[in-house]
Amino acid sequence: MNTEIVKISADDSAEKYEYAVELLKNNQVVGMPTETVYGLAGNAYSELAVKRIFEAKGRPQDNPLIVHISEFSEIYDLVSEVPDIAKKLSEKFWPGPLTMILPKSEKVPMCVTAGLDSVAVRCPSHPVARNLIKNCGLPIAAPSANISGKPSPTKAEHVFSDLNGKIPLVIDGGESEEGVESTVISLCGEIPKLLRPGNVTLTELEMVCGKVLVDDAVLNPLKEGEKVSSPGMKYKHYSPNAEATILKGDYKSFCDYVNENKSDETYAMVFDGEGENLEVKYFTYGNKNDYRSLSNRLFDCLRELDTIGAKKCFVRCPEENTDDLAVLNRLLRAAAFRVIDLGDKK
Ligand code: AMP
Ligand code: MG
């Protein structure tokens, strides 16, 4: 299959979307820009489209998809009840990078939710994603548009590099602004529970919901046989080919460790302004004190490691505060939970 890339911008007319809309209505799948990461879009009501999504990505069958809508009102088709807290959260964070898990309606096929009786719903803020969904008049199932296990795509060219030949179209709507996937919150239990951190932070959620539980899998590897709340958390994720290791501690200890332990094709991922005294090549992945700048460049840096053929990468560890959970959560998985604490020698 030939994979086309078509650029669409916020103020393009409906005609620009016609080809993509036709594909989606015919149960084909399409690379779609969103503000979090690029999604692999398909008609959420079509078992064939959903099957194509799983096949193109090589996604395990038990990992459910997020369904995207263009307006809050469309949620009523997808879920069997809309609690007040869902309304409040949507007023504050939609359109935007928040996914809510709610009891599913009959209309949502089981293949979308991987057999669960709940469904994940999000209204993205990216104007091209919203227009596409609106013009289709369908809810759109869309996981991240990467090959399963690889870092998520934040640029159309990332999608092309993973899925070239497997899908007919990638819509290029520019670089994803947020750079990490949406925050996922479950509203199925008595107390809301954070299943995946994203750029809507725990603090922001607590301001609307009061108490919010944090799923154990957010910052910890799963224990043998443990039941997961968010099936996506159990898989190897976001991984570059290089063996990544997170080093906790101050910058001086980081440099000493990397310089002593470097071998061929070793790289470092450090914060803006760092790099001095390192005897290996390095990338900067953002401002240490600004989690949004870190999330923005994270996946691009992880993909860059593959492009240049890195074999090892040592990564500076972001602060463990509630705002930075998203970056740390992705890095821990990219590094398969390899973390070395160097202590603080300041
Ligand atoms: P992705 O779209 O690839 O970023 O992954 C979607 C994430 O949402 C995965 O980690 C899923 O486990 C999670 N998810 C989707 N639907 C549900 C659901 N019904 N219950 C719990 N987690 C879900
Ligand atoms: Mg994903």
Side-chain angles (χ1 to χ4, degrees):
M1 186 185 298
N2 198 20
T3 304
E4 228 182 293
I5 303 188
V6 172
K7 265 195 192 348
I8 302 186
S9 56
D11 31 71
D12 278 331
S13 66
E15 277 160 35
K16 261 278 166 123
Y17 292 83
E18 272 172 11
Y19 178 45
V21 168
E22 186 193 306
L23 287 170
L24 288 169
K25 284 188 172 165
N26 284 303
N27 305 321
Q28 298 287 346
V29 298
V30 166
M32 168 179 83
T34 88
E35 75 280 16
T36 55
V37 300
Y38 271 71
L40 184 56
N43 174 0
Y45 290 148
S46 157
E47 291 193 7
L48 176 59
V50 171
K51 183 167 167 264
R52 285 182 166 143
I53 291 174
F54 277 91
E55 273 174 12
K57 278 183 63 91
R59 185 173 176 102
Q61 293 293 328
D62 63 348
N63 193 358
L65 308 179
I66 295 174
V67 180
H68 294 71
I69 54 180
S70 67
E71 297 290 340
F72 178 75
S73 59
E74 295 160 21
I75 201 173
Y76 291 95
D77 284 334
L78 303 172
V79 309
S80 62
E81 56 171 287
V82 181
D84 275 350
I85 195 69
K87 287 184 195 143
K88 283 195 191 137
L89 284 168
S90 73
E91 276 159 25
K92 179 89 180 138
F93 300 113
W94 277 9
L98 178 69
T99 296
M100 299 194 270
I101 313 277
L102 289 160
K104 81 183 256 314
S105 74
E106 300 260 307
K107 278 178 95 172
V108 179
M110 277 295 185
C111 54
V112 170
T113 65
L116 297 173
D117 51 17
S118 58
V119 62
V121 189
R122 179 167 103 84
C123 177
S125 66
H126 196 296
V128 174
R130 282 184 86 192
N131 288 337
L132 181 67
I133 302 166
K134 227 179 250 162
N135 294 350
C136 281
L138 290 166
I140 295 294
S144 50
N146 51 292
I147 293 287
S148 250
K150 288 275 135 207
S152 297
T154 55
K155 296 175 176 171
E157 70 221 46
H158 295 162
V159 182
F160 187 80
S161 127
D162 276 19
L163 299 177
N164 181 20
K166 295 186 169 169
I167 60 174
L169 175 69
V170 182
I171 299 175
D172 183 351
E175 200 169 328
S176 296
E177 227 173 274
E178 305 285 348
V180 287
E181 303 86 344
S182 56
T183 302
V184 177
I185 189 168
S186 170
L187 303 176
C188 293
E190 220 163 279
I191 302 172
K193 192 176 200 185
L194 177 70
L195 301 187
R196 177 175 76 184
N199 279 350
V200 171
T201 64
L202 182 60
T203 317
E204 287 174 315
L205 291 171
E206 281 173 338
M207 269 156 44
V208 177
C209 303
K211 190 175 166 58
V212 176
L213 303 171
V214 178
D215 196 76
D216 234 19
V218 166
L219 294 180
N220 298 296
L222 280 176
K223 293 168 203 89
E224 187 81 23
E226 190 179 352
K227 188 175 172 294
V228 293
S229 320
S230 178
M233 288 293 180
K234 72 180 172 196
Y235 293 106
K236 183 174 163 223
H237 237 128
Y238 319 119
S239 314
N241 297 328
E243 181 192 271
T245 306
I246 300 169
L247 301 181
K248 277 188 183 176
D250 60 88
Y251 181 61
K252 162 103 181 45
S253 317
F254 180 88
C255 291
D256 291 347
Y257 187 91
V258 172
N259 294 341
E260 273 162 34
N261 291 280
K262 67 177 191 293
S263 52
D264 281 354
E265 305 306 331
T266 297
Y267 287 77
M269 265 172 67
V270 296
F271 300 125
D272 288 351
E274 298 179 342
E276 207 181 326
N277 301 326
L278 274 176
E279 293 163 14
V280 300
K281 290 187 197 136
Y282 61 89
F283 297 100
T284 57
Y285 76 106
N287 179 339
K288 183 181 176 172
N289 301 310
D290 174 6
Y291 69 94
R292 280 181 184 275
S293 96
L294 293 172
S295 70
N296 189 267
R297 299 227 297 271
L298 178 69
F299 286 135
D300 199 27
C301 282
L302 291 175
R303 280 183 171 263
E304 196 57 30
L305 289 171
D306 283 351
T307 310
I308 55 182
K311 296 222 169 70
K312 258 195 200 181
C313 180
F314 293 108
V315 186
R316 288 274 278 143
C317 186
E319 298 285 329
E320 268 179 72
N321 63 50
T322 49
D323 283 348
D324 279 345
L325 284 178
V327 175
L328 188 56
N329 167 278
R330 306 310 188 275
L331 272 176
L332 283 168
R333 282 166 176 79
F337 288 92
R338 267 184 303 272
V339 182
I340 298 175
D341 194 343
L342 302 171
D344 214 325
K345 295 188 193 148
K346 261 186 283 192

